[in-house]
Amino acid sequence: MRLKIHTFLALLMLPLAQGFAQQKPNIIVLYADDISAREMPTYGSDTWSLPRRKDYKGGADTSDPEYRAQTPVLDQLAQEGCYIKTAWAATVCGPSRAMMMTGRYAHLHKWWHNKDKGKAPKGRGVWRLYESSQHTIAHVAQAGGYATYWAGKTQMEDVRDFGFEEGCFTPGQGSYNKAIPTTDFRLEKKKIDGVRKTINADTGEEVDTYLQSAWYWYPHVQLLNHPDATEDLEWWPNNQAAKDTFGLATYGPDVELEFTFDFMERKHEEGKPFFVYHTSHLGHDAFDWLHPESNYKWPGTPKISWDGEQYTRTKPIVTGDNGVYDTHGTITESGIHHHINYLDYQVWQYMNKLKEMGIENNTIFIFCADNGTSGYGKSKPISQRGTHVPMIIYAPGMDLTKQGEQDVLVNISDILPTIAEIAGVEIPDSYEVNGESLVPFLTTDQPEHREWIYAYHKEMQLVRGKYVMRDGNGHWYDVTGNPTDLISFPKIKDWSKVSKAHRKERDRLLKAMKPYDLHANAHDAPAKGAPKAAPLQTADSVE
């Protein structure tokens, strides 16, 4: 795809050019985990998710305000910036993160689902993303002169091969079902009396959940290319000062942000724009090592409070051992609403850091999520349960022409070409990217962004336009209304009872999906792999 970068880049830089030696804006993408748009107060749903596994026996939904997230900071950013009414990801994390990382759909990268990924040429395991898609989101940013940082969840192959210069990962690479020197908060597979069981390494007791390492409390943390480290990938804490403070009360999301801020400060001092890709775990369920017998779905966060102007965080205190812990009233109860509240607190920290550094008006901040909420939408191809995610864009120095709610269609794949246009990078025509840059919509009087959005779930395809939506089960919905729960669109059972515009759009969407319907016939990598991609170009190098 050939981006018309000159006009929009000049438009973007105009309000930024005065007062900054570094004219290109910094970019931060905070990519939350398993959070449906309905969980965010900004979106105004009358329904959200219950906090614990046992509650799901009666359904995942509630309208009880006790379980409603409170996000004063994100609400303000959504109003001063803008938020997308209908943003879609894939239905589950792996394929959605592949879409974000590559700007492409599964017909190219072959990540159809977490447990349904295409094989590499000659059957050599899973086809790696950086082999199928050589221009990752970090490579694009780097081509535009950006320093690149990846924080949080990875869920991918070797993190050194995606184009990020530095990173802070939880739980890190190589800790899956394997002991590391810093923490024993992990689950591991062991054969006991001839039967493989999942064991809590902290207690030695069997547990009934999926294999995982801690990313919240007492977390597994790994640094990539940190300037004070001795190895390219190094477990943290890696010095005596850090070891003295690391322990049961160390909270993974706090560690991620601390290292992210350190990177931002260093690169700002160097006069270099930065791209931060912060893939937070917040929103994702997890085993609760502090309450191993509880069956909680979302482990609690440090307690925070908002006084109308600022947040106050209670310092966590955790004592105990071997599965018996006392949190001394410093940690919340279970609930995704607490995770979202903590994300809002971290966004407040981001905003404060940008102001402190004097770069608030030279930074673009994007908040979004990878798929629907666990228990409600995650991995569900029904209607838009799995695909409908929040997206908030805040860019005070970008002179946006859009503010507040934007009733347009956006796909997660759109982030990569958006960054390309902001960075002044042109993607060669020969390299297919399925996303579309948001810059023209955000900075001009252009009324629409896309005609349709697309997602995938194994062999299933989902697509939505302005009038109709087709889910993974082949059901069609009339999406011209505004259901209060963001999901209860009426099914179309008789096409003669809807408008000609509905039928016309249905035919157009069926045709649009066809090139991507390759699960059955091209599930795996081509025999010769992906052709070598033509290089990225910058605005200065394009004639």
Side-chain angles (χ1 to χ4, degrees), residues 214-283:
W215 52 75
Y216 291 129
W217 297 103
Y218 203 19
H220 295 223
V221 179
Q222 192 174 56
L223 303 179
L224 170 66
N225 295 330
H226 190 275
D228 295 335
T230 58
E231 300 178 13
D232 56 354
L233 282 174
E234 187 165 287
W235 293 112
W236 180 89
N238 57 352
N239 59 65
Q240 193 56 52
K243 290 177 182 178
D244 289 344
T245 59
F246 180 74
L248 297 170
T250 301
Y251 192 54
D254 292 335
V255 177
E256 296 165 11
L257 207 58
E258 180 180 344
F259 279 105
T260 299
F261 286 173
D262 171 69
F263 175 83
M264 289 164 51
E265 289 173 341
R266 285 189 282 110
K267 297 307 166 182
H268 179 58
E269 289 174 3
E270 294 172 12
K272 192 170 187 179
F274 57 76
F275 166 52
V276 169
Y277 182 46
H278 186 172
T279 50
S280 176
H281 275 283
L282 286 165

Side-chain angles (χ1 to χ4, degrees), residues 3 14 21 28 32 39 140 154 178 232 234 269 381 419 437 448 475 509 538:
L3 300 173
L14 186 61
I28 299 171
E39 312 296 346
V140 168
T154 60
K178 183 178 179 181
D232 56 354
E234 187 165 287
E269 289 174 3
I419 289 174
S437 172
E448 300 291 340
H475 297 140
L509 296 182
T538 63

